[in-house]
Amino acid sequence: MADIIDGKQISLDIKDEIKDKIAWLNKKGIEVSLAVILVGNDPASTVYVKNKKKACEYTGIKSVSYELAEETTEEELLSLIDKLNEDNAINGILVQLPLPKHINEDAVIKRISPDKDVDGFHPESVGRLSIGERGFVSCTPAGVIQLLKRSKVEITGAECVVVGRSNIVGKPMAMLLIRENGTVTVCHSKTKNLKEVTKRADILVVAIGKPEFIDSSYVKEGAVVIDVGIHRKGEKKLCGDVNYASVEPVASMITPVPGGVGPMTIAMLMNNCYEAALMQNGM
């Protein structure tokens, strides 16, 4: 029986720590502000933005909201980003993805100033991470590292396998695990003998985007399993990329879905906003 890694509690602990740090900055006369841009009315995006605003309110970060119509042009969106880049009262800029199909996401990500890129998606942020410089780290992988550390999982020297190579999770996840002295293998759709590779893992991070794909046959006895996926299963149920019922008996620790990695993403966004304020104030 695996110990369950409680992302809800750990994310709350982090938000409480950030709340204290924001209060400390406020005493120094520094207000921390996040601009949140939502284009269109995608239902999932609307929920994510609402949760981000709630987290801002909880931690004492001011959220400035821009809710734009579906038909907003790319030029209009880029013009708004330019304005926010120049605005010294704004510390972080977040454009909720996905964007409507007529807007080039890549162009939008690149337009955000790397100093305000609290999502950690800008090529410069990724470059800073890869060479070990201070900068913003993509929130989900940063949250996974905190889950491991705060659950007393030893990353140094561990055999770590990441399933998935996306720019938002897989690649930065691998770099962060290397930074923590893990020995890292990245698997993807072209990996041969996937089960043989994943069964070597002391720490298995799954971000493959396929519901309940990883069952116990992929997992070494006693492995720590982190499930980054989230999918709707039927009307009200959610599931991850890991078949929880199958894997939980063989793992030593596991994240549930929901309540595992999900809450950590927003907690790390709040942390990035705090870090942005520090950097912009030369601290």
Side-chain angles (χ1 to χ4, degrees):
M1 291 285 283
D3 290 335
I4 293 166
I5 299 175
D6 187 350
K8 275 188 186 168
Q9 186 55 53
I10 294 171
S11 71
L12 185 59
D13 294 343
I14 290 170
K15 285 190 283 191
D16 284 340
E17 290 162 18
I18 292 162
K19 194 179 193 175
D20 292 342
K21 290 171 179 175
I22 298 295
W24 171 75
L25 282 177
N26 290 164
K27 281 180 188 159
K28 293 181 175 295
I30 298 167
E31 185 178 59
V32 184
S33 294
L34 170 67
V36 181
I37 303 171
L38 174 65
V39 185
N41 46 17
D42 177 77
S45 293
T46 305
V47 171
Y48 287 138
V49 165
K50 191 172 134 202
N51 289 340
K52 285 165 185 174
K53 286 183 191 167
K54 266 165 68 178
C56 282
E57 199 178 328
Y58 184 83
T59 53
I61 294 168
K62 181 184 173 190
S63 72
V64 185
S65 187
Y66 297 87
E67 289 171 13
L68 310 178
E70 181 86 21
E71 50 272 17
T72 299
T73 65
E74 187 175 312
E75 289 70 27
E76 286 168 330
L77 178 55
L78 293 175
S79 170
L80 172 59
I81 291 168
D82 289 342
K83 194 179 91 180
L84 294 170
N85 281 338
E86 296 300 317
D87 187 346
N88 291 334
I90 298 293
N91 303 101
I93 301 168
L94 183 147
V95 178
Q96 183 64 45
L97 303 178
L99 289 165
K101 288 192 169 44
H102 65 277
I103 298 176
N104 181 334
E105 281 186 7
D106 198 39
V108 169
I109 288 166
K110 286 177 179 168
R111 196 65 157 252
I112 297 168
S113 162
D115 294 331
K116 297 190 178 187
D117 170 40
V118 287
D119 256 335
F121 295 163
H122 192 284
E124 193 171 313
S125 301
V126 178
R128 286 176 183 174
L129 169 62
S130 70
I131 59 172
E133 282 189 2
R134 185 182 183 188
F136 300 111
V137 177
S138 186
C139 299
T140 300
V144 170
I145 294 292
Q146 285 301 315
L147 282 179
L148 293 169
K149 286 184 166 181
R150 290 170 187 249
S151 303
K152 306 285 188 287
V153 175
E154 183 64 62
I155 304 172
T156 296
E159 184 93 38
C160 307
V161 175
V162 179
V163 186
R165 56 175 167 182
S166 72
N167 291 338
I168 290 172
V169 180
K171 288 174 189 171
M173 190 73 253
M175 286 193 279
L176 283 174
L177 288 164
I178 290 167
R179 190 163 86 178
E180 297 295 332
N181 303 311
T183 301
V184 182
T185 304
V186 179
C187 299
H188 43 77
S189 58
K190 302 287 187 284
T191 299
K192 291 175 182 169
N193 306 320
L194 180 62
K195 284 185 183 180
E196 285 177 28
V197 182
T198 57
K199 279 192 96 113
R200 295 202 310 258
D202 303 310
I203 299 170
L204 179 62
V205 182
V206 187
I208 199 170
K210 293 182 179 178
E212 299 185 327
F213 181 84
I214 298 290
D215 63 22
S216 60
S217 67
Y218 289 83
V219 181
K220 178 170 89 173
E221 185 84 36
V224 175
V225 179
I226 306 289
D227 187 353
V228 179
I230 187 156
H231 311 274
R232 194 159 286 290
K233 188 183 178 186
E235 274 292 293
K236 292 181 180 168
K237 238 180 152 213
L238 295 171
C239 70
D241 290 351
V242 173
N243 185 320
Y244 187 89
S246 171
V247 171
E248 190 266 342
V250 300
S252 63
M253 301 177 96
I254 191 169
T255 56
V257 176
V261 174
M264 296 299 294
T265 301
I266 291 178
M268 299 319 292
L269 172 66
M270 299 299 105
N271 186 65
N272 279 352
C273 293
Y274 166 70
E275 289 289 337
L278 289 186
M279 284 193 271
Q280 288 156 27
N281 286 280
M283 297 160 86

